């Protein structure tokens, strides 16, 4: 009876939209630090989406690799909360890194939405392809958590040399089931991020990474996406890793796996 009453209140009180916003997007406007605080050279980047939203990001040049990682971050915080992760990848991978904030996050204008994040992704790709120091044939899309859904959508629209998904989920509806198993709200949500419906269309080399102890996105989501994906594909489970510590628990071994994956992706792209 309580659940029926609660669901009725959501439906009649207009609370589904409010719950949806709190469930999906957790932006933070304050930039707590910059790559300079980690001893990294970088550029402050501002660029504009097709619908007129000004976005902010960081360009961190690599140390020898010709690859560029375009980083689609998760639903919480902003780019400054990824600095430790950025530093580790920069030091051990040597690739260029471009990470930006979606609309409503950090110094980016606007308000977050599913369609908005797709506009943001399109604009970030356009910006990168316009840089003279970027090889447009060697851009890797990296999506973490919510960013994995954005990265998959981008990979259906734009070419990339490889696609990496960290802690990906099947869809918002499936996440609602996992997070609110006794409250059947999945079908009521307007935001879809239906990665499962899109993953089979990806033709770039795919690496899915998931923590075996992920407390937010069930490990089975990553496995099911892997099963639905087309070749070439790889799955890398990290024992003991939770949702936000893949790079810490995975450590150098995971980054070495990334380097091997990159090498194979570049070789495949160079093959006739």
């Amino acid at each position: 009876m309580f659940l029926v009453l609660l669901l009725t209140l959501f439906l009649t009180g207009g609370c589904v939209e409010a719950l949806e916003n709190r469930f999906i997007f957790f932006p933070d406007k304050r930039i707590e630090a910059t790559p300079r605080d980690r001893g990294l050279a970088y550029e402050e980047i501002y660029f504009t989406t097709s619908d007129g939203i000004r976005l902010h990001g960081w360009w961190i040049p690599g140390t020898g690799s010709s690859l560029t990682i375009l980083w689609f971050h998760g639903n919480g915080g902003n780019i400054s909360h990824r600095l430790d992760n950025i530093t580790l990848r920069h030091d051990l991978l040597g690739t260029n890194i471009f990470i930006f904030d979606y609309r409503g996050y950090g110094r980016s204008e606007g308000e977050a939405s599913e369609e908005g994040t797709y506009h943001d992704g399109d604009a970030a790709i356009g910006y990168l392809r316009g840089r003279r120091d970027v090889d447009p044939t060697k851009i890797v899309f990296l999506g973490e958590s919510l960013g994995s859904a954005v990265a998959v959508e981008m990979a259906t629209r734009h070419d990339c040399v490889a696609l990496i998904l960290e802690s990906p989920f099947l869809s918002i509806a499936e996440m609602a089931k996992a997070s609110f198993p006794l409250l059947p709200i999945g079908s009521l949500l307007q935001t879809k991020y239906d990665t499962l419906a899109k993953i089979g269309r990806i033709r770039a080399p795919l690496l899915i990474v998931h923590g075996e102890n992920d407390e937010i996105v069930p490990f089975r989501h990553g496995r099911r996406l892997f099963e639905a994906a087309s070749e070439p594909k790889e799955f890398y489970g990290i024992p003991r890793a939770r949702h936000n510590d893949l790079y810490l628990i995975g450590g150098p071994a995971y980054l070495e796996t990334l380097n091997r994956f990159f090498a194979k992706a570049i070789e495949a792209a160079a093959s006739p």
Side-chain angles (χ1 to χ4, degrees), residues 4-22:
V4 173
L5 176 60
L6 185 59
L7 184 58
T8 300
L9 288 173
F10 277 127
L11 288 171
T12 60
C15 294
V16 171
E17 182 178 356
L19 175 64
E20 181 169 349
N21 290 336
R22 289 195 295 268

Side-chain angles (χ1 to χ4, degrees), residues 24-45:
I24 299 172
F25 301 109
F26 298 90
D28 190 331
K29 300 297 291 184
R30 180 173 178 268
I31 297 294
E32 297 183 350
T34 72
R36 184 176 293 114
D37 297 307
R38 299 296 192 275
L40 301 179
Y42 81 109
E43 295 177 33
E44 298 273 5
I45 303 298

Side-chain angles (χ1 to χ4, degrees), residues 75-220:
N75 69 335
N78 58 55
I79 55 177
S80 71
H81 298 107
R82 276 83 189 172
L83 272 172
D84 289 341
N85 198 344
I86 290 169
T87 303
L88 184 64
R89 291 180 196 266
H90 174 271
D91 292 346
L92 295 183
L93 296 177
T95 63
N96 302 316
I97 295 173
F98 182 53
I99 184 169
F100 70 97
D101 271 323
Y102 312 117
R103 59 191 63 201
Y105 286 73
R107 294 173 182 164
S108 293
E109 299 174 345
E111 183 176 347
S113 68
E114 179 178 6
E115 192 59 34
T117 58
Y118 297 154
H119 285 307
D120 301 343
D122 287 334
I125 293 167
Y127 167 76
L128 273 186
R129 289 180 172 170
R131 285 187 68 109
R132 287 183 290 181
D133 53 357
V134 170
D135 184 339
T137 69
K138 293 184 179 179
I139 298 176
V140 176
F141 295 170
L142 166 65
E144 56 161 305
S145 193
L146 180 134
S148 67
V150 183
V152 166
E153 175 65 23
M154 292 303 100
T156 68
R157 303 183 183 191
H158 306 278
D159 291 335
C160 60
V161 72
L163 174 64
I164 302 167
L165 306 179
E166 295 186 340
S167 309
F169 56 90
L170 296 170
S171 66
I172 290 297
E174 289 297 324
M175 280 301 299
K177 289 180 185 178
S179 300
F180 308 104
L182 300 180
L183 191 61
I185 63 170
S187 62
L188 303 176
L189 301 177
Q190 297 300 307
T191 304
K192 306 302 181 186
Y193 283 124
D194 193 350
T195 302
L196 182 60
K198 303 171 185 176
I199 195 73
R201 294 157 52 193
I202 305 302
R203 294 296 173 260
L206 170 68
L207 173 64
I208 293 180
V209 185
H210 217 116
E212 294 183 5
N213 291 347
D214 194 319
E215 77 285 11
I216 295 177
V217 179
F219 183 72
R220 67 178 183 274

Side-chain angles (χ1 to χ4, degrees), residues 231-248:
E231 295 284 355
K233 60 183 179 179
E234 298 181 31
F235 187 89
Y236 188 77
I238 301 181
R240 304 184 310 281
R242 293 163 67 84
H243 190 70
N244 293 312
D245 61 5
L246 289 179
Y247 71 101
L248 292 173

